[in-house]
Amino acid sequence: MTDKMRVALGQYNIATDEYLTFAKQLGVGGVQFNLHAGSPDLPAADGYWHVADLRRLKQKVNDYGLRLEAIENVPRAVYMDAMLNGPRRDQQIANYQRTLRNMGEAGIPILGLNWMPNLVWRTPAATGRGGVIVTAFDMERALAGDIVDGYLTVDSAEDREYSEEEIFANYVYFMERALPVAEEAGVKIAIHPDDPPVASLGGIARVFHKPEHFQRALEAVPSPSHGLDFCMGCFSEMVYADKSNNDGVLDAMRYFGERGKIFYMHFRDVQGCVPRFQECFPGEGNVDVVAAIKTLHEVGFDGFIIDDHVPEMLDDSDWRHRGHAYSTGYIMALVEAVSQLA
Ligand SMILES: [Mn+2]
């Protein structure tokens, strides 16, 4: 049986009954978890995830009649030295290999990855339509130190600058060791773009801030387990597609999609682009979302789609379930509509 393009609920870190019930209520078929900040479900005290914990997590999801589509991000601390070529690099890579093997054994097919030692940066939040609260980035404010400890934590207390060459070399070194294990374990590693997609932040170069950077990485370490977590919001931030010229995002989607390299989608968008943008609901950003979903359909994308960074709506919960409800339902309708095309 082949898979079809489908929608999941994602980006939360704990398999609570509330979260899984909410996923059922939305009518999605599966969930994804994002564990950049860790999770009580998957302790990584030894630097890797244990197979018993992975199995328990998957079972809980399956007990709700849901599919565990992917886990995104091991906690940053357990691969920080791999990104920066620190003293524990090889130990951390060995741990990552254990995580991959254990995920394979538990039957969890995708592990999301980002290569941002100092994570996602945002400047103070903005408001969107009707006063929804959205994240924003303004390079000028960021350079002036006006960074919020909001979306993801910022701590760039590194003692020196890191060049593009070395950050990329570290990625290649890491993937040359991770991917063979991933292939053997039947797990795919999905790399997420840099957010914001700029050349350097806090003295650390970023190596996934242009569409061609993914091409460079895939060619440097070719593997069927090497592909993208295509964050449409990041591509929108980097190539700036306004409604009259959205080819940049769609071209990248087509290029990687046709090659089977989009392992899953973050379907979000922004208004504006680097060096200044703010997030928004799908359909009111740079990208023509109908054209985007058609493109995914045309290239035969058969993975799952989640929303990402959803706006915080009136009386929303801390995990913004109202924002998720709107965005997920919107994406489900797009998928349903496109699935009826030839
Ligand atoms: Mn994303």
PDB file of all heavy atoms in Angstrom, residues 127-133 281 284 312-314:
ATOM      1  N   THR A 127       1.508  41.646  15.905  1.00  0.00           N
ATOM      2  CA  THR A 127       0.121  41.205  15.833  1.00  0.00           C
ATOM      3  C   THR A 127      -0.275  41.061  14.376  1.00  0.00           C
ATOM      4  O   THR A 127       0.166  41.807  13.506  1.00  0.00           O
ATOM      5  CB  THR A 127      -0.837  42.186  16.538  1.00  0.00           C
ATOM      6  OG1 THR A 127      -0.584  43.498  16.054  1.00  0.00           O
ATOM      7  CG2 THR A 127      -0.641  42.149  18.043  1.00  0.00           C
ATOM      8  N   GLY A 128      -1.119  40.064  14.157  1.00  0.00           N
ATOM      9  CA  GLY A 128      -1.656  39.826  12.827  1.00  0.00           C
ATOM     10  C   GLY A 128      -3.125  40.205  12.791  1.00  0.00           C
ATOM     11  O   GLY A 128      -3.592  40.996  13.618  1.00  0.00           O
ATOM     12  N   ARG A 129      -3.846  39.623  11.850  1.00  0.00           N
ATOM     13  CA  ARG A 129      -5.245  40.020  11.652  1.00  0.00           C
ATOM     14  C   ARG A 129      -6.060  39.836  12.927  1.00  0.00           C
ATOM     15  O   ARG A 129      -5.919  38.842  13.646  1.00  0.00           O
ATOM     16  CB  ARG A 129      -5.856  39.233  10.485  1.00  0.00           C
ATOM     17  CG  ARG A 129      -6.076  37.781  10.798  1.00  0.00           C
ATOM     18  CD  ARG A 129      -6.631  37.056   9.571  1.00  0.00           C
ATOM     19  NE  ARG A 129      -6.964  35.690   9.911  1.00  0.00           N
ATOM     20  CZ  ARG A 129      -6.939  34.675   9.071  1.00  0.00           C
ATOM     21  NH1 ARG A 129      -6.598  34.864   7.810  1.00  0.00           N
ATOM     22  NH2 ARG A 129      -7.273  33.471   9.462  1.00  0.00           N
ATOM     23  N   GLY A 130      -6.893  40.819  13.227  1.00  0.00           N
ATOM     24  CA  GLY A 130      -7.756  40.751  14.405  1.00  0.00           C
ATOM     25  C   GLY A 130      -7.008  40.702  15.721  1.00  0.00           C
ATOM     26  O   GLY A 130      -7.583  40.391  16.755  1.00  0.00           O
ATOM     27  N   GLY A 131      -5.715  40.981  15.659  1.00  0.00           N
ATOM     28  CA  GLY A 131      -4.939  41.008  16.892  1.00  0.00           C
ATOM     29  C   GLY A 131      -4.313  39.693  17.307  1.00  0.00           C
ATOM     30  O   GLY A 131      -3.796  39.571  18.416  1.00  0.00           O
ATOM     31  N   VAL A 132      -4.331  38.687  16.436  1.00  0.00           N
ATOM     32  CA  VAL A 132      -3.618  37.442  16.787  1.00  0.00           C
ATOM     33  C   VAL A 132      -2.147  37.770  17.014  1.00  0.00           C
ATOM     34  O   VAL A 132      -1.598  38.693  16.410  1.00  0.00           O
ATOM     35  CB  VAL A 132      -3.734  36.335  15.699  1.00  0.00           C
ATOM     36  CG1 VAL A 132      -5.153  35.827  15.579  1.00  0.00           C
ATOM     37  CG2 VAL A 132      -3.169  36.796  14.369  1.00  0.00           C
ATOM     38  N   ILE A 133      -1.540  37.007  17.905  1.00  0.00           N
ATOM     39  CA  ILE A 133      -0.134  37.253  18.223  1.00  0.00           C
ATOM     40  C   ILE A 133       0.738  36.321  17.388  1.00  0.00           C
ATOM     41  O   ILE A 133       0.518  35.105  17.361  1.00  0.00           O
ATOM     42  CB  ILE A 133       0.121  37.036  19.726  1.00  0.00           C
ATOM     43  CG1 ILE A 133      -0.733  38.030  20.526  1.00  0.00           C
ATOM     44  CG2 ILE A 133       1.613  37.204  20.065  1.00  0.00           C
ATOM     45  CD1 ILE A 133      -0.865  37.696  21.988  1.00  0.00           C
ATOM     46  N   PHE A 281      -1.268  33.374   9.199  1.00  0.00           N
ATOM     47  CA  PHE A 281      -1.999  32.147   8.881  1.00  0.00           C
ATOM     48  C   PHE A 281      -1.706  31.748   7.431  1.00  0.00           C
ATOM     49  O   PHE A 281      -1.375  32.607   6.604  1.00  0.00           O
ATOM     50  CB  PHE A 281      -3.504  32.378   9.023  1.00  0.00           C
ATOM     51  CG  PHE A 281      -3.979  32.442  10.446  1.00  0.00           C
ATOM     52  CD1 PHE A 281      -4.461  33.636  10.986  1.00  0.00           C
ATOM     53  CD2 PHE A 281      -3.974  31.298  11.251  1.00  0.00           C
ATOM     54  CE1 PHE A 281      -4.919  33.696  12.291  1.00  0.00           C
ATOM     55  CE2 PHE A 281      -4.432  31.355  12.560  1.00  0.00           C
ATOM     56  CZ  PHE A 281      -4.907  32.553  13.081  1.00  0.00           C
ATOM     57  N   GLU A 284      -2.464  33.995   3.837  1.00  0.00           N
ATOM     58  CA  GLU A 284      -2.315  35.448   3.878  1.00  0.00           C
ATOM     59  C   GLU A 284      -0.845  35.851   3.870  1.00  0.00           C
ATOM     60  O   GLU A 284      -0.499  36.969   4.226  1.00  0.00           O
ATOM     61  CB  GLU A 284      -3.054  36.052   5.086  1.00  0.00           C
ATOM     62  CG  GLU A 284      -2.684  35.418   6.416  1.00  0.00           C
ATOM     63  CD  GLU A 284      -3.154  36.256   7.606  1.00  0.00           C
ATOM     64  OE1 GLU A 284      -3.960  37.179   7.416  1.00  0.00           O
ATOM     65  OE2 GLU A 284      -2.674  35.988   8.725  1.00  0.00           O
ATOM     66  N   GLU A 312      -1.261  32.844  17.796  1.00  0.00           N
ATOM     67  CA  GLU A 312      -1.992  32.648  19.050  1.00  0.00           C
ATOM     68  C   GLU A 312      -3.308  33.410  18.963  1.00  0.00           C
ATOM     69  O   GLU A 312      -3.334  34.630  18.831  1.00  0.00           O
ATOM     70  CB  GLU A 312      -1.146  33.170  20.218  1.00  0.00           C
ATOM     71  CG  GLU A 312      -1.834  33.045  21.561  1.00  0.00           C
ATOM     72  CD  GLU A 312      -1.030  33.687  22.690  1.00  0.00           C
ATOM     73  OE1 GLU A 312       0.210  33.797  22.571  1.00  0.00           O
ATOM     74  OE2 GLU A 312      -1.656  34.096  23.683  1.00  0.00           O
ATOM     75  N   MET A 313      -4.406  32.680  19.049  1.00  0.00           N
ATOM     76  CA  MET A 313      -5.724  33.295  18.883  1.00  0.00           C
ATOM     77  C   MET A 313      -6.320  33.700  20.228  1.00  0.00           C
ATOM     78  O   MET A 313      -5.754  33.427  21.288  1.00  0.00           O
ATOM     79  CB  MET A 313      -6.654  32.316  18.149  1.00  0.00           C
ATOM     80  CG  MET A 313      -6.145  31.958  16.755  1.00  0.00           C
ATOM     81  SD  MET A 313      -7.296  30.955  15.799  1.00  0.00           S
ATOM     82  CE  MET A 313      -8.456  32.227  15.288  1.00  0.00           C
ATOM     83  N   LEU A 314      -7.472  34.332  20.151  1.00  0.00           N
ATOM     84  CA  LEU A 314      -8.191  34.784  21.346  1.00  0.00           C
ATOM     85  C   LEU A 314      -8.352  33.629  22.349  1.00  0.00           C
ATOM     86  O   LEU A 314      -8.803  32.552  21.973  1.00  0.00           O
ATOM     87  CB  LEU A 314      -9.572  35.292  20.899  1.00  0.00           C
ATOM     88  CG  LEU A 314     -10.430  36.024  21.913  1.00  0.00           C
ATOM     89  CD1 LEU A 314      -9.803  37.358  22.289  1.00  0.00           C
ATOM     90  CD2 LEU A 314     -11.826  36.243  21.321  1.00  0.00           C
TER      91      LEU A 314
END
